[in-house]
Amino acid sequence: QVQLVESGGGLVQAGGSLRLSCAASGRTFSTSNLGWFRQAPGKEREFVAGISRSGKVIYYADFVMGRFTISRDNAKNTVHLQMNSLKPEDTAVYYCAAVRAISDRVITTREVYDYWGQGTQVTVSS
């Protein structure tokens, strides 16, 4: 019902910036809680940032606090992740995810999300 496609990944030097975008299709986008996750080789997929259906509730993982910004544009059916001051340890495949919102909150548990994009590679060189 909801399809997600990420873009904007690439290779950057440490300290650089990237802006990830996730284009969504589906009538329920505006009523979905959204999140960004990442997965490095040999590691579990981990929560990065989330935004509630209204955009009023935003939550970040501690390791990106102050560096990343999540935003959504319901008119364009997109969610973005602005990444600044990138570090080599940020290297991973980044995924956007969506779930029909029962309440206006951020979901941090990956098992709760029903829809996922295919991911976009972010590589930060030292």
Side-chain angles (χ1 to χ4, degrees), residues 46-86:
E46 63 183 352
F47 173 81
V48 175
I51 186 167
S52 70
R53 64 186 181 189
S54 70
K56 295 181 179 180
V57 184
I58 294 175
Y59 187 76
Y60 299 97
D62 289 343
F63 52 81
V64 302
M65 186 72 71
R67 299 189 297 125
F68 291 8
T69 302
I70 188 172
S71 61
R72 67 187 296 166
D73 186 343
N74 287 347
K76 297 181 179 179
N77 282 6
T78 57
V79 58
H80 305 279
L81 185 68
Q82 178 66 46
M83 305 186 295
N84 299 324
S85 301
L86 284 163

Side-chain angles (χ1 to χ4, degrees), residues 67-120:
R67 299 189 297 125
F68 291 8
T69 302
I70 188 172
S71 61
R72 67 187 296 166
D73 186 343
N74 287 347
K76 297 181 179 179
N77 282 6
T78 57
V79 58
H80 305 279
L81 185 68
Q82 178 66 46
M83 305 186 295
N84 299 324
S85 301
L86 284 163
K87 305 174 181 179
E89 50 263 45
D90 293 319
T91 296
V93 176
Y94 284 71
Y95 301 88
C96 63
V99 62
R100 179 73 166 84
I102 299 175
S103 60
D104 192 32
R105 60 170 291 186
V106 169
I107 305 299
T108 61
T109 304
R110 67 178 185 270
E111 288 82 4
V112 176
Y113 286 91
D114 295 316
Y115 306 101
W116 294 85
Q118 294 301 305
T120 185

Side-chain angles (χ1 to χ4, degrees), residues 4 6 13 18 34 38-39 41 55 74 84 87 102-103 108:
L4 307 171
E6 303 95 335
Q13 294 182 331
L18 283 173
L34 305 172
R38 71 186 187 186
Q39 187 168 21
N74 287 347
N84 299 324
K87 305 174 181 179
I102 299 175
S103 60
T108 61

Side-chain angles (χ1 to χ4, degrees), residues 11-48:
L11 174 64
V12 297
Q13 294 182 331
S17 298
L18 283 173
R19 182 175 173 83
L20 305 184
S21 297
C22 178
S25 63
R27 296 179 180 178
T28 61
F29 177 84
S30 63
T31 56
S32 296
N33 291 324
L34 305 172
W36 284 96
F37 290 75
R38 71 186 187 186
Q39 187 168 21
K43 297 183 179 180
E44 296 287 333
R45 189 172 300 187
E46 63 183 352
F47 173 81
V48 175

